[in-house]
Amino acid sequence: MKFTDSPVIQLQVRDSQLSIQQDNGSFHVGTSVWPCSLVLAKFVERWAPSSPTTTTSDNPYYDLLDFHTRRRRAIELGTGCGAAGMTFRLLGLQDIILTDISPVMPALKHNLKRNKPVLGKNMKTSILYWNNKDQIRGVNPPFDVVIAADVVYIEESVGHLVGAMEALVSDDGVILLGYQLRSPEADKLFWEMCEKVFVIEKVPHQDLHPDYAYEETDVYVFRKKKNNNN
């Protein structure tokens, strides 16, 4: 697998190709395409059913990634340039809101416009700061799927992130997280907080896309604990 600082990344998603423009000279980390988003996107591409009639016998992630009948409403946190969110759209997740902070929105909207011929109809976007309860209510949770990739890098934002994930995901929904350790302090706090409210499952590396199995990057599945006092 090759990650590049090229201004444009071509990402093949089954029969389609996304063309994602990044700005590595920006002051905002959200204007670059980070490995986690590609690892998560390609994991989902590997296992997401291509249609409601796709066989389930050899797919351990069928129910998790059934965007045609079971998991139909989603939101992405820290969308950035849109690589993961656009990939999910192409894999059948039609009702998805892409969110980030306001300074990143121009880069996201540019890439959505750039890829509109591939994506079809416009994708929904929303400015969302994780500590803004009005903005969280404004996107009308809960969601079947919450998507996040490479969002844990500042210790001060961890509490807001975990709170937002908990507020946004439905009781029987899932959080799909692409993760890479960026800050030991943020990492420690993040897992301590998540273990209190979520059941955490790590995807085995052999189940990642073979061309996108970056050794430092993992994919996790979170589900709400039935009783948060446990």
Side-chain angles (χ1 to χ4, degrees):
M1 176 185 58
K2 294 181 179 179
F3 295 111
T4 176
D5 58 1
S6 167
V8 177
I9 291 175
Q10 307 295 338
L11 182 62
Q12 191 71 29
V13 183
R14 292 187 180 161
D15 296 331
S16 304
Q17 187 176 73
L18 295 170
S19 177
I20 303 160
Q21 193 162 25
Q22 59 179 348
D23 178 9
N24 294 321
S26 165
F27 290 109
H28 299 286
V29 294
T31 59
S32 296
V33 177
W34 297 96
C36 284
S37 62
L38 302 181
V39 172
L40 178 60
K42 297 298 279 189
F43 160 71
V44 174
E45 181 200 33
R46 180 178 181 185
W47 296 106
S50 57
S51 74
T53 58
T54 304
T55 180
T56 64
S57 59
D58 57 350
N59 184 348
Y61 299 101
Y62 184 93
D63 288 338
L64 176 69
L65 303 176
D66 177 11
F67 303 140
H68 300 283
T69 58
R70 185 173 180 186
R71 305 196 186 279
R72 306 183 67 170
R73 187 164 185 261
I75 189 167
E76 183 178 15
L77 301 178
T79 298
C81 294
M86 289 190 287
T87 297
F88 275 78
R89 171 63 168 272
L90 292 175
L91 296 172
L93 193 49
Q94 295 298 308
D95 188 355
I96 178 173
I97 303 173
L98 308 181
T99 74
D100 214 315
I101 61 175
S102 53
V104 178
M105 276 294 152
L108 173 58
K109 290 183 176 181
H110 171 78
N111 277 302
L112 291 176
K113 182 178 180 181
R114 181 184 180 93
N115 289 280
K116 192 171 186 295
V118 176
L119 296 168
K121 62 181 182 180
N122 292 329
M123 295 188 70
K124 302 173 191 172
T125 62
S126 184
I127 295 170
L128 183 66
Y129 289 79
W130 301 332
N131 63 340
N132 190 316
K133 290 181 171 56
D134 289 335
Q135 290 178 347
I136 289 174
R137 282 192 293 267
V139 294
N140 195 25
F143 292 86
D144 302 320
V145 184
V146 175
I147 303 157
D150 219 341
V151 290
V152 183
Y153 50 88
I154 300 174
E155 185 179 8
E156 290 73 20
S157 69
V158 166
H160 301 316
L161 170 62
V162 176
M165 292 192 302
E166 187 179 8
L168 291 166
V169 70
S170 65
D171 288 344
D172 59 352
V174 296
I175 297 167
L176 299 176
L177 175 71
Y179 189 84
Q180 182 171 345
L181 194 156
R182 297 291 186 187
S183 156
E185 296 79 15
D187 175 82
K188 181 175 183 291
L189 181 60
F190 178 73
W191 293 112
E192 286 176 353
M193 295 189 71
C194 285
E195 285 168 1
K196 294 177 181 177
V197 291
F198 300 119
V199 176
I200 299 168
E201 173 191 350
K202 182 178 177 181
V203 173
H205 253 241
Q206 64 264 26
D207 289 349
L208 301 179
H209 191 290
D211 296 331
Y212 288 80
Y214 190 41
E215 63 181 13
E216 297 178 7
T217 301
D218 290 297
V219 172
Y220 290 88
V221 181
F222 292 1
R223 294 176 174 86
K224 273 186 178 178
K225 286 186 175 181
K226 298 303 182 186
N227 183 347
N228 286 346
N229 294 322
N230 289 344

